[in-house]
Amino acid sequence: MGSTRDYYEILNVDRSATDDDLRRAYRRLAMRWHPDKNPAGKAEAEARFKKITEAYNVLSDADKRAVYDQYGEEGLRGEVPQPGGGGGSDDIFSEFFGSTPFTYCNTAGGGGGGNARGGRQPPPPPKWDSGFCRAYRRDQGGGGGGAASSTMAPPPPPVESRLACTLEELYMGVTKKMKISRNVVDASGRMKTESEILSIEVKPGWKKGTKITFAGKGNQQWNQLPADLVFVVDEKPHPVYRRDGNDLLAEGRVTLAEALGGTVVVLAALDGRELAVDVGGGEDEDEEDAPVVCPGYELVLPMEGMPIAREPGRRGSLRIRFDVAFPERLTRRQRAQIKRALEDSTTGAF
């Protein structure tokens, strides 16, 4: 055989290998030499992967294999060796069919007819303009996609998993360790389960729905690249604060006396600080006009909200919305005192 490459040797199988033998050998070698699994030696891996795929494409096809066994690579290229220095391909066709050459049509189970010696022969080598050879050229990367794309299926859709974070973790940032177990195909072509601990660095200011992708860390199926594993940030409810974009919302409740006379509300910040918030009293004791807290009143504290992930050093605001608890009952004397105080007010608001 005039072949320059031995496809059986490339796949490391006997010439009597069955279809199952070929599939197992291909899976084992394809997983070992796939370029994505050999980033350090990608050029060599690509070359080996191409040879492995080419060998499997030929030997797994009964007609191609028959031509290859009889004529080698020259036969696949339509270059039939002249037996005994004879008259070329025309003589071969005349010997098989007693007529001029024709384009071989690849049909399932088609026979090649008998020769003058009465024995059955492998089908004649195809010419390059036949459908058989056009398909073979596509397999070798001559059009319609390369060899890898015709044998290795694309990875499945990403697998998403919830990453639950407290509001404090999203405020301060945190590193989370996640243990995963997944199915993979090893170098020998066997399916196995492996475990791994992934480290996820949650940045300050990340929002619910932020995605962290680990390429190729999902489950793998036969003849398919592993899926990507995607963690999606989720936010746990907080007893005091609620997030609104980059702002934090909190609810405050004061009595009517505190709303009118002023008070100080103390809140625990997400980083552990104590926030003492002056409500309605005014910053200057001599100030004549101070705001009065009414139901629905909102006090805004700039730079006390969530960090802005893409703008280091900047934060949103803390917005405190107040509710006023009115007394359920008052004595006549209390009513008269309140009325007199309000009537004497110089603001004219009542």
Side-chain angles (χ1 to χ4, degrees):
M1 180 169 59
S3 172
T4 59
R5 286 176 293 186
D6 188 335
Y7 288 149
Y8 293 97
E9 183 178 340
I10 290 174
L11 292 182
N12 195 24
V13 295
D14 296 332
R15 302 188 72 82
S16 59
T18 65
D19 289 344
D20 287 340
D21 294 334
L22 294 172
R23 278 192 292 270
R24 283 194 293 269
Y26 173 72
R27 286 172 180 166
R28 181 177 65 254
L29 294 171
M31 290 306 304
R32 177 181 177 186
W33 291 105
H34 194 280
D36 289 347
K37 290 187 173 291
N38 295 272
K42 195 165 186 178
E44 179 188 1
E46 287 177 347
R48 285 182 178 255
F49 186 81
K50 183 178 180 181
K51 290 181 181 179
I52 292 164
T53 304
E54 179 181 342
Y56 178 72
N57 285 342
V58 172
L59 299 184
S60 62
D61 185 294
D63 291 331
K64 292 181 184 180
R65 184 174 180 177
V67 172
Y68 175 77
D69 287 344
Q70 181 71 9
Y71 302 106
E73 284 187 272
E74 293 89 346
L76 295 172
R77 292 194 296 267
E79 303 171 1
V80 182
Q82 300 178 9
S89 60
D90 285 4
D91 294 337
I92 293 292
F93 282 105
S94 297
E95 181 181 355
F96 285 153
F97 302 103
S99 62
T100 57
F102 65 95
T103 301
Y104 171 65
C105 178
N106 179 25
T107 57
N115 62 7
R117 301 173 182 82
R120 292 185 60 82
Q121 299 286 343
K127 290 195 174 183
W128 272 118
D129 59 350
S130 69
F132 172 92
C133 294
R134 285 196 297 271
Y136 181 74
R137 284 200 300 272
R138 285 197 300 271
D139 289 343
Q140 306 313 307
S149 63
S150 64
T151 58
M152 182 68 72
V159 178
E160 293 192 354
S161 182
R162 175 175 172 266
L163 182 67
C165 300
T166 65
L167 201 53
E168 286 87 351
E169 290 172 336
L170 295 175
Y171 184 90
M172 298 292 296
V174 68
T175 299
K176 286 182 170 286
K177 304 289 186 179
M178 304 295 290
K179 183 176 181 180
I180 63 170
S181 295
R182 62 195 187 105
N183 297 327
V184 297
V185 181
D186 63 16
S188 64
R190 292 190 297 268
M191 185 74 72
K192 69 175 184 178
T193 300
E194 67 177 20
S195 297
E196 184 177 357
I197 296 179
L198 301 178
S199 180
I200 306 173
E201 186 178 358
V202 178
K203 301 291 186 181
W206 273 7
K207 297 180 180 179
K208 178 178 180 179
T210 299
K211 294 184 177 182
I212 310 99
T213 300
F214 289 87
K217 293 299 183 179
N219 287 325
Q220 183 178 15
Q221 301 296 330
W222 291 111
N223 202 32
Q224 190 176 54
L225 295 174
D228 291 344
L229 180 59
V230 179
F231 289 96
V232 183
V233 172
D234 195 11
E235 181 184 301
K236 294 181 179 179
H238 193 275
V240 176
Y241 298 105
R242 180 168 59 87
R243 187 172 185 173
D244 181 17
N246 295 317
D247 291 347
L248 288 173
L249 303 181
E251 302 292 333
R253 186 174 176 84
V254 295
T255 65
L256 179 59
E258 291 171 334
L260 297 176
T263 187
V264 175
V265 174
V266 178
L267 295 174
L270 293 174
D271 58 2
R273 293 176 295 126
E274 272 196 354
L275 291 177
V277 183
D278 183 31
V279 182
E283 297 180 356
D284 189 348
E285 292 183 358
D286 297 328
E287 185 179 0
E288 295 183 355
D289 187 6
V292 175
V293 177
C294 58
Y297 172 79
E298 183 175 276
L299 182 62
V300 179
L301 302 179
M303 294 294 292
E304 288 293 348
M306 294 294 293
I308 301 176
R310 296 184 179 181
E311 300 179 40
R314 289 197 58 198
R315 298 177 184 272
S317 299
L318 170 59
R319 292 150 47 196
I320 308 173
R321 293 175 179 171
F322 287 92
D323 185 22
V324 179
F326 280 75
E328 295 183 0
R329 301 180 67 86
L330 293 172
T331 64
R332 289 182 180 273
R333 182 179 178 181
Q334 289 171 330
R335 291 174 188 270
Q337 289 174 336
I338 293 173
K339 185 177 180 181
R340 186 163 46 257
L342 295 178
E343 287 176 345
D344 291 343
S345 173
T346 59
T347 65
F350 294 86

